[in-house]
Amino acid sequence: MASNKLSFILSTFILVVYQCVIPLNAQLQVGFYNGVCDFVESMIKEEVRDAFILDRGVAAGLVRMHFHDCFVRGCDGSVLIDSTPSNQAEKDAPANNPSLRGFEVIDDAKSRLEFLCPGIVSCADILAYAARDSVEITGGPGYDVPAGRRDGRISSSREASANLPSPALGVNQLIQAFANKGLRPDEMVTLSGAHTIGRSHCISFSNRLFNFNTTTTQDPSMDPSYAAQLAQQCPQGSISNPNLVVPMDPSTPTIMDTCYYDNILANRGLFTSDQTLLTNPSTANQVIQNAQNPLLWENKFADAMVRMGQIGVLTGDAGEIRANCRVINN
């Protein structure tokens, strides 16, 4: 009797914990479009490649866009929806505007696919494929993308602000933010490695350079020479200038590698949320492992991207297949 009661309590506890996070979905399938739109992946890869030739930074933009999509309402393509006079969409939240880029790549891929396979391929899946292709084209691992996502019909800048992790978060806050989406602490450290490509606006880290607190001007956890370099690139009077950007990984800003972790170990993490990974023994150990074993990190990164791509997805008859990724269907 006591055993049955204990089992009931444990089952109830597990259910409550499960309901506190957005579940990962097992209904997605690799090769979902086989037989109905066979060339979907190759066509999206072409669009990513062509855009990358013109602007190598677009790859980082697409990886980040996929992350920002999945952390708000799940991976439902809601980050692609345009604002209207009555609704400010996710893409116009402070965390996304003006920093998100690559929307035109999704638009071009969607236009081609709608011409050849009308009403078949979701915008959410296009974005997931494009993120994978962006990882691969910058030297990162290739991986199979389970598909079958459907597109959401709601996009809110308020929800984006509430769900997207800030670059100013500490390690415990990061762990909780990822746990809320069903991701483990080690997956958080692994996915943070995407900061090895791309750029940041000065305002996202300027708090570490000027008036850090009442006793020191610069964040003492940042290498002083790196802080001085950043202060030159981002003068105090111009930090809100949207045209001022710096690479997140100065050594290899367009290559998907483990230099991000080397930078953290050298106290050259750009964001508070980067450098804070050294303040927890477990996450610090992950940083060291990833820096020392690039192949291990690549394998973990591929797995974590697949896991992230399953957060809160819409499948079956839920949602819709948007005809235009920027606008919900009538």
Side-chain angles (χ1 to χ4, degrees):
M1 184 73 174
S3 176
N4 291 338
K5 185 176 181 181
L6 177 60
S7 296
F8 173 77
I9 292 172
L10 288 174
S11 298
T12 303
F13 174 75
I14 291 169
L15 177 62
V16 170
V17 170
Y18 177 79
Q19 289 175 334
C20 289
V21 301
I22 296 178
L24 302 181
N25 192 287
Q27 296 181 43
L28 304 181
Q29 301 174 18
V30 173
F32 180 82
Y33 295 104
N34 290 351
V36 290
C37 195
D38 291 324
F39 40 79
V40 55
E41 294 191 51
S42 60
M43 188 171 289
I44 294 169
K45 191 181 292 288
E46 285 178 10
E47 293 296 334
V48 171
R49 181 201 62 204
D50 292 347
F52 184 74
I53 290 171
L54 296 175
D55 177 8
R56 293 171 70 86
V58 77
L62 289 168
V63 173
R64 184 166 180 258
M65 190 187 299
H66 183 42
F67 171 80
H68 281 214
D69 183 39
C70 292
F71 265 59
V72 184
R73 289 189 163 267
C75 312
D76 67 346
S78 54
V79 73
L80 304 169
I81 296 174
D82 283 345
S83 294
T84 66
S86 61
N87 179 65
Q88 187 175 55
E90 290 174 32
K91 64 168 56 173
D92 288 319
N96 289 331
N97 187 2
S99 58
L100 276 194
R101 51 183 172 156
F103 293 104
E104 69 285 350
V105 180
I106 307 302
D107 292 338
D108 292 344
K110 181 61 173 176
S111 294
R112 290 180 65 186
L113 290 167
E114 279 299 300
F115 180 76
L116 295 167
C117 306
I120 299 297
V121 184
S122 70
C123 300
D125 276 345
I126 293 173
L127 180 52
Y129 285 131
R132 183 271 311 274
D133 297 337
S134 296
V135 170
E136 194 170 8
I137 203 170
T138 52
Y143 53 90
D144 290 330
V145 174
R149 301 166 188 80
R150 287 173 64 85
D151 297 322
R153 296 176 55 85
I154 298 173
S155 184
S156 164
S157 64
R158 187 178 303 173
E159 291 186 0
S161 296
N163 283 276
L164 293 173
S166 161
L169 293 187
V171 67
N172 291 332
Q173 294 168 304
L174 286 171
I175 289 172
Q176 185 60 58
F178 277 71
N180 290 343
K181 309 302 176 184
L183 297 172
R184 304 184 307 267
D186 63 298
E187 292 173 317
M188 178 271 289
V189 178
T190 297
L191 289 169
S192 295
H195 285 177
T196 189
I197 57 174
R199 64 189 187 184
S200 170
H201 289 81
C202 296
I203 198 168
S204 296
F205 57 86
S206 60
N207 65 304
R208 304 186 69 199
L209 305 178
F210 312 108
N211 302 315
F212 180 68
N213 58 32
T214 56
T215 59
T216 181
T217 301
Q218 293 179 343
D219 184 345
S221 70
M222 180 180 281
D223 173 68
S225 62
Y226 184 46
Q229 174 188 327
L230 291 172
Q232 285 187 333
Q233 294 173 296
C234 300
Q236 189 168 7
S238 305
I239 57 174
S240 60
N241 184 342
N243 296 315
L244 278 182
V245 295
V246 301
M248 291 190 286
D249 173 8
S251 55
T252 55
T254 60
I255 299 175
M256 185 71 72
D257 56 23
T258 55
C259 286
Y260 165 79
Y261 300 104
D262 295 330
N263 292 337
I264 292 176
L265 292 172
N267 295 323
R268 287 175 167 251
L270 183 61
F271 304 127
T272 298
S273 59
D274 295 325
Q275 201 59 48
T276 191
L277 298 181
L278 288 188
T279 65
N280 173 292
S282 178
T283 58
N285 184 55
Q286 290 289 322
V287 170
I288 294 169
Q289 285 185 11
N290 293 338
Q292 293 177 342
N293 193 333
L295 183 58
L296 173 66
W297 172 76
E298 286 190 0
N299 291 333
K300 293 194 300 182
F301 186 78
D303 291 342
M305 286 292 286
V306 171
R307 286 251 303 155
M308 184 187 75
Q310 298 177 5
I311 295 174
V313 298
L314 303 173
T315 59
D317 295 327
E320 64 184 15
I321 303 296
R322 263 180 249 142
N324 177 344
C325 291
R326 294 175 177 265
V327 183
I328 61 174
N329 296 340
N330 292 327

